Structures are given as C-alpha cells and as structure tokens.
Amino acid sequence: YTRTGTTDTEGSAVSQNYQGVTIDKETTKANALAKEIDYSQTDSTVTLKGNIAGDESLHFEFYYSRNVNTVSYEFEGTLVPEGATLPDSKDYAYDDEVTIAGDININGYTFTGWHTDDNFIKDEDTKFNMPDNNVVLKGSFTANNVGYTVEHYTENKDGTYILKETESLPGRTGNTVTASPKHYDGFTYDESVEGTKKSGTVTVDEDGNGNLVLKLYYTRDSYNVTYEYYEDTDHNGVIPSTASTLPAVEEHLYQDEVLVAPQASAPGYHFVGWNTVTGSLLNIASGKFEMPSRDVILRGTFRANDDTKYTITHYIECLESESCSITANGKNYKVLEEYTRTGTTDTEGSAVSQNY
C-alpha cells in the first residue's frame, strides 16, 4: 500500500501483526540497510525511516516468516488395543495443507477417526490447512461385538465326555466373560473336571471373528435304589415276621440298566412283586428299568396263603402188651388217625375230638 508525505521530510513505517506470521527482523534489516533506510526494533515491532524523495522512490519493505507449529496424535479413553501405535508428530508452516494420518486397523476393534477437541477437525476429515497453533488430533477405539462360544459336555457311563450343547453368545473384543452352567437332568456341573474353562477374554482370529471357546463339564449323577416292605391294608398286604431280609441299597448312575432284586419270601405267604410308589412313572419291564434322575424306592408286600396246611392227629392209649413210643402225661399212645386241613396263614385254625 502507499502513503503520502511532504517531500524531503522523514517518512516512517512500522511492522504489522498478521495471522500466522512473525516479522523477520534479520531479512527486513538487511534489506533496509542496503537501501540506506534507518532501521530500529523493539521486542515485537520493527520501525523503518527514510527521506521522502521527490521522485517517490522511497519504499519501505517488511519481510515476515510463516509460523511453524506441530501436529501430534493422542489416543482418547482407556481402551487402547495391543499393537495400536500413534503416528509420529510433524511440524507444519502456517496454512500448509496437512494430510491426516490414516485410521488404525486392529482386528476386533473399530477406530473412530481423528478429531480435535474443538471440532475444528472432525472424524471424517482427511486434510486441513495448518492454523496458527499446535494441533492435537485425538482418536479412540470401540470393541467390536465378535461373540464367543460356550460348549457344554456331559459324562458318558465310561467316564468320557460328549458334547451336549453349543451356545453362541455376544461379547466384545477384550472383555472378560464368564459362562453360566446349565441344568441337565441326571448331571451336575463340576468345575474340577480337567479341561474346564469357565471364563476368559474375548479374542479374535486373523479375520476379526471371535475365537474364544469356553468349556463346561457335567458329571453323571448317581442315585440309590432302596427296597422296603409295606402294609397294604386295602388289599390285605402284610409284613410277616418271617419275611426274608430286604435287599441292600444299591447305587446306580443315571440311565444305568437296573435289575430288580429277586422276589422276597416268607413261609405261608406269597410275595406281591417289587413295585414303585403310585405316580412315580417308572417303567419296569422284564425285571429291569432305566435309572431315572432321582432315588428309587421299590416296595413289596405279602399276602397270606389260603391253602396253608395244618395237621390233626388223634392218639389212642396203648395196651399194656403194646410197645408204644409216644408218651403224654405219663401214658403211652399210638396214632389212631391223622389227616390234614388247609387254612389262611396266621389265622386261627380249629379241630374237634372225634367219637371212635
């Protein structure tokens, strides 16, 4: 720009403050002295003075250097995946075009993009012109929901294990997850089984898919088979004092084939099989059944035989000339007549003397 003044008087000019630049005192001074222009400076300004020539040749020139500032990068938040590395910081002159570093790709995570706190630069931006200040670009990660797998194994009768069920569950990369045991009839979760993995950190494979597999094991339960006698008053069922000893309690694994104990016995009675309590829904066929997921009580009762024999004997006193082996009340006897009758066990029988 130009100014006017009185010929052959002193003219002067002072350096200005412009956005993004700083007066270059050395260059400005060297140029002024070469043109025999007076130069003076303070900490922040430069003043040039010279004679205003009639030919209008006086020209004050000021030189400015572009300010240089730094672009640096930071991660936001506490989630910084392993292997995530910040781009290097770099200096740029004012108004330079800056290309923003690319997104950081880590398997199992999504990068939000680079931005500034004041939103001068947004996540979707790829370039900007350097302002007159340092720029800190910030970015963060979110963990992807890659999922994980839970496998449930139940014990075979031989002690090995077989896969019962597989669950695919949601889970974000890097999170610690814990599997919940399930309920299976006849089995109990047992975390002491070798190979059990109840919890773990969700991880990903090279394709970004979740690859954490948790494994829970369930041991096969065992239950008791117990035998007992009972009185069935509705059907004349009794427990004789002479009944055979009850079978011992047996322990069986769930789904074992169980052989029912042999029939019990008692003299003068017939045994009414081994049966379950009414409503127990146990299927006994051909003297055996499959062990359910509970204890089993097999009950039996007896009914008195109605054809139990008893004997009636009539004795006659022996003559003195006879040799008899039966003695009663100091007298000798021999069998006159003997016969049998039948009746119901443990009921009263009777006999009447006869006239001979």
Side-chain angles (χ1 to χ4, degrees), residues 16 22 37 46 80 88 105 109 122 144 148 153 155 185 189 194 200 203 233 258 275 299 312 324 328 343:
Q16 303 297 302
T22 301
I37 293 174
V46 168
V80 180
D88 292 334
N105 296 317
Y109 297 88
K122 302 178 179 61
N144 296 341
Y148 65 101
Y153 293 84
E155 185 181 22
D185 281 344
Y189 169 65
E194 184 178 357
T203 53
T233 56
V258 180
N275 295 290
R299 308 198 310 165
I312 301 171
C324 299

Side-chain angles (χ1 to χ4, degrees), residues 58-69:
L58 179 62
H59 187 185
F60 296 130
E61 295 175 309
F62 296 90
Y63 293 85
Y64 298 84
S65 299
R66 289 180 184 269
N67 296 337
V68 175
N69 289 284

Side-chain angles (χ1 to χ4, degrees), residues 36-54:
E36 296 182 349
I37 293 174
D38 290 338
Y39 173 92
S40 63
Q41 66 180 49
T42 65
D43 289 341
S44 58
T45 61
V46 168
T47 301
L48 299 180
K49 295 179 180 180
N51 183 61
I52 302 174

Side-chain angles (χ1 to χ4, degrees), residues 148-152 167 169 177-182 189 197-200 214-216:
Y148 65 101
T149 300
V150 180
E151 295 177 346
H152 300 267
E167 294 181 284
L169 299 174
V177 293
T178 300
S180 298
K182 307 195 76 163
Y189 169 65
K197 186 175 183 179
K198 189 177 182 182
S199 62
L214 302 180
K215 297 183 178 183
L216 303 185

Side-chain angles (χ1 to χ4, degrees), residues 1-66:
Y1 54 89
T2 60
R3 290 180 177 172
T4 60
T6 301
T7 303
D8 287 333
T9 62
E10 185 178 72
S12 65
V14 179
S15 60
Q16 303 297 302
N17 292 321
Y18 294 108
Q19 177 70 36
V21 295
T22 301
I23 185 66
D24 184 345
K25 295 177 180 179
E26 290 185 4
T27 302
T28 300
K29 181 179 181 178
N31 182 71
L33 295 180
K35 295 182 176 182
E36 296 182 349
I37 293 174
D38 290 338
Y39 173 92
S40 63
Q41 66 180 49
T42 65
D43 289 341
S44 58
T45 61
V46 168
T47 301
L48 299 180
K49 295 179 180 180
N51 183 61
I52 302 174
D55 59 3
E56 299 183 345
S57 60
L58 179 62
H59 187 185
F60 296 130
E61 295 175 309
F62 296 90
Y63 293 85
Y64 298 84
S65 299
R66 289 180 184 269

